[in-house]
Amino acid sequence: MFKKILKNMIIIVLRIIFGICFNVKIKGKENLNIKRPYIITPNHISMLDAIFLRVFLMDQDIIYMSKEENSKIFLIGSILTYVFDLILVKRDGRDSTAIKKVYKVLDNNGIIGIFPEGTRNGLLKTGSIKKGSVLIAVKKKVPIIPIGITYINKGIRKKVIITIGKSLDISKIYNEKLKEVGDKEKAEEYINELLKKDIISLVESNIYENVK
């Protein structure tokens, strides 16, 4: 009970502070009105991405997967890990304990947040996203909702646009593609590429114009 009260208090305070410092606009919030569980997959530009999403979508109790080292950031790392129930993942990504925690959240009709780029500006560095979110969605038969976050440096307050896309029925797409190509890896790669294009299409700037 104490943790829930503390969490809500911190979210409200952060929302007030961020609302003053940034001009935040949410688009497509109605696309979150689907049956739980599901996974959200935003692009990743800033360390503040997850906080923006958690604070301005406070009615959605999103639990994020996060790199283990993020919990070691002085003061703020341990606070965010405790308050927002972050699921910490080892750097190499081979973390069965973290995956089990993700499965448990989904089994309890929760919402998981995964940054498929794996790191900030991963798309700009590699032109690709990691398959983890797709593999989890296929395994647990849950939809994925792509999200595009855009930062625009105009005026006194930086503008932040959070655009929420329509859900992808991963199980249906996977089964149809698997039937077509007869190869699990190719079906997974197809969905991953589809997800990447959806995320990029939701970003309202030309930051990814050179990503194919």
Side-chain angles (χ1 to χ4, degrees), residues 2-212:
F2 171 76
K3 185 176 180 179
K4 185 175 181 179
I5 294 172
L6 177 62
K7 181 191 294 188
N8 289 335
M9 286 177 61
I10 291 177
I11 289 174
I12 291 169
V13 170
L14 287 174
R15 182 164 184 153
I16 293 171
I17 294 172
F18 278 39
I20 293 171
C21 297
F22 300 91
N23 178 11
V24 181
K25 185 173 184 178
I26 311 291
K27 295 183 177 181
K29 192 173 181 181
E30 67 277 2
N31 291 325
L32 294 175
N33 296 328
I34 65 170
K35 186 178 178 181
R36 298 184 183 189
Y38 57 81
I39 298 170
I40 66 165
T41 55
N43 60 316
H44 198 10
I45 299 174
S46 166
M47 288 182 66
L48 298 176
D49 293 339
I51 300 177
F52 272 115
L53 291 167
R54 188 66 187 88
V55 167
F56 287 93
L57 301 176
M58 61 186 298
D59 55 326
Q60 308 292 315
D61 196 11
I62 304 165
I63 297 179
Y64 287 93
M65 296 185 75
S66 177
K67 291 182 294 186
E68 192 174 45
E69 53 263 40
N70 287 343
S71 68
K72 299 174 184 177
I73 299 173
F74 180 68
L75 190 60
I76 192 171
S78 56
I79 292 175
L80 291 178
T81 300
Y82 173 75
V83 174
F84 296 137
D85 300 309
L86 298 182
I87 296 176
L88 302 176
V89 184
K90 295 185 185 300
R91 184 68 176 179
D92 60 9
R94 299 170 185 173
D95 194 336
S96 59
T97 300
I99 296 300
K100 287 178 182 177
K101 289 180 180 179
V102 170
Y103 288 172
K104 185 176 180 180
V105 171
L106 295 174
D107 286 341
N108 286 300
N109 294 322
I111 305 170
I112 289 290
I114 300 175
F115 292 100
E117 292 174 77
T119 187
R120 290 191 301 278
N121 295 311
L123 269 171
L124 297 177
K125 296 171 184 175
T126 67
S128 63
I129 61 175
K130 299 183 182 299
K131 291 199 297 184
S133 57
V134 168
L135 295 177
I136 292 170
V138 169
K139 172 74 175 178
K140 302 305 290 183
K141 296 181 174 60
V142 298
I144 289 179
I145 296 179
I147 294 178
I149 304 174
T150 309
Y151 293 90
I152 300 175
N153 294 308
K154 286 184 178 180
I156 298 175
R157 295 190 301 164
K158 178 182 284 189
K159 189 173 184 178
V160 182
I161 305 171
I162 298 171
T163 307
I164 302 162
K166 293 183 178 180
S167 64
L168 297 171
D169 187 339
I170 298 301
S171 291
K172 181 181 178 182
I173 299 170
Y174 174 76
N175 289 330
E176 288 176 352
K177 197 64 183 178
L178 181 60
K179 187 176 180 180
E180 177 188 333
V181 300
D183 185 292
K184 289 184 178 180
E185 189 170 341
K186 287 183 179 179
E188 291 163 358
E189 289 174 355
Y190 170 80
I191 298 174
N192 210 47
E193 189 65 21
L194 186 68
L195 178 60
K196 183 184 85 171
K197 290 178 179 178
D198 268 15
I199 293 171
I200 290 175
S201 73
L202 296 168
V203 177
E204 297 188 22
S205 71
N206 60 359
I207 186 173
Y208 299 124
E209 63 180 350
N210 294 321
V211 178
K212 299 180 179 179

